[in-house]
Amino acid sequence: MGMIARLQEEKAAVLMEARQFQRVVEQKLMHDQEAIEGLREVIARIEEEKRELEEENEFYKSIEVTPCADKGEHTCSKHAVAYRTFLFC
């Protein structure tokens, strides 16, 4: 009879340890999923910023810049000045 009681106690201890381990694993899984979602959001923001910068880069590439003969400076087209007033022209 004592042997059965000892085995039941051991079984209960093992089950309790297994449940605790399962809770820890589930918590880690939730944490990892939240981290992955956060990283996906960061990637989306970076891709959007990259897209905007590529569009801006294409705009600047399309600006007509002509050198000034007398001062060695550059002048930009009226379109560029109207679009961006802070150009270094």
Side-chain angles (χ1 to χ4, degrees):
M1 207 54 174
M3 177 71 113
I4 293 175
R6 186 176 61 79
L7 289 173
Q8 287 176 338
E9 287 176 12
E10 286 179 17
K11 179 181 175 183
V14 168
L15 287 174
M16 188 168 28
E17 186 178 342
R19 284 188 208 110
Q20 176 63 24
F21 181 73
Q22 185 176 4
R23 281 192 295 271
V24 168
V25 168
E26 288 170 354
Q27 288 173 352
K28 179 157 177 37
L29 179 62
M30 271 185 19
H31 176 268
D32 291 348
Q33 288 173 337
E34 289 171 0
I36 288 169
E37 183 58 34
L39 290 172
R40 284 185 177 143
E41 291 172 6
V42 168
I43 289 170
R45 282 195 308 266
I46 289 171
E47 288 175 347
E48 177 63 21
E49 184 177 348
K50 177 185 172 200
R51 185 190 61 74
E52 290 172 359
L53 289 171
E54 286 172 345
E55 288 176 1
E56 188 173 354
N57 187 37
E58 288 302 314
F59 168 77
Y60 285 122
K61 284 180 180 179
S62 70
I63 295 174
E64 181 182 326
V65 178
T66 56
C68 264
D70 57 343
K71 297 182 180 178
E73 296 177 357
H74 293 82
T75 58
C76 296
S77 67
K78 290 179 185 176
H79 176 70
V81 174
Y83 184 73
R84 300 274 188 192
T85 59
F86 58 89
L87 290 176
F88 300 106
C89 297

